Amino acid sequence: MTTLNKKSIADIIAEKHDLTKKEASEIVDLVFDTIADTLKDGGKAEITGFGKFEVKTRASRIGINPQTKESIEIPSSKLPGFKASKGLKDLVK
């Protein structure tokens, strides 16, 4: 099993498209930064055939402090979410 990271993606792009590793790295950074900025602004990033990135809101809830056993309110929060496309799900099966 291999692990894919930003550097290895940039290396693959550089090799397949006759780019320097620096140029390919800048392209990969631009893609990820654009997705992150879109999510930060409340938008969605949908990549056809791969999946959809979107911001999900976790509702506020009651939790328990494990040290004092007191109930505490945990405020609502936003977090990034990813939903794989049907094509990606079928490919992984």
Side-chain angles (χ1 to χ4, degrees):
M1 182 164 75
T2 60
T3 301
L4 190 65
N5 57 29
K6 283 172 62 172
K7 182 183 181 309
S8 59
I9 292 171
D11 290 345
I12 292 167
I13 290 171
E15 184 179 317
K16 289 192 176 198
H17 294 282
D18 279 336
L19 299 170
T20 66
K21 289 185 179 185
K22 182 179 179 186
E23 290 170 333
S25 181
E26 289 172 356
I27 291 168
V28 172
D29 286 340
L30 177 64
V31 169
F32 285 115
D33 290 345
T34 303
I35 292 171
D37 288 343
T38 301
L39 294 177
K40 183 178 82 173
D41 294 338
K44 296 178 184 178
E46 189 168 343
I47 302 168
T48 305
F50 186 73
K52 180 172 36 174
F53 296 90
E54 61 186 332
V55 177
K56 297 182 179 190
T57 302
R58 181 180 285 170
S60 62
R61 59 200 187 280
I62 301 296
I64 297 175
N65 181 332
Q67 292 178 339
T68 63
K69 307 295 184 206
E70 290 181 37
S71 293
I72 57 172
E73 182 178 344
I74 301 169
S76 64
S77 61
K78 293 181 179 182
L79 59 135
F82 175 75
K83 182 176 181 183
S85 71
K86 182 180 182 325
L88 181 60
K89 288 178 186 177
D90 291 343
L91 183 67
V92 172
K93 282 186 180 178

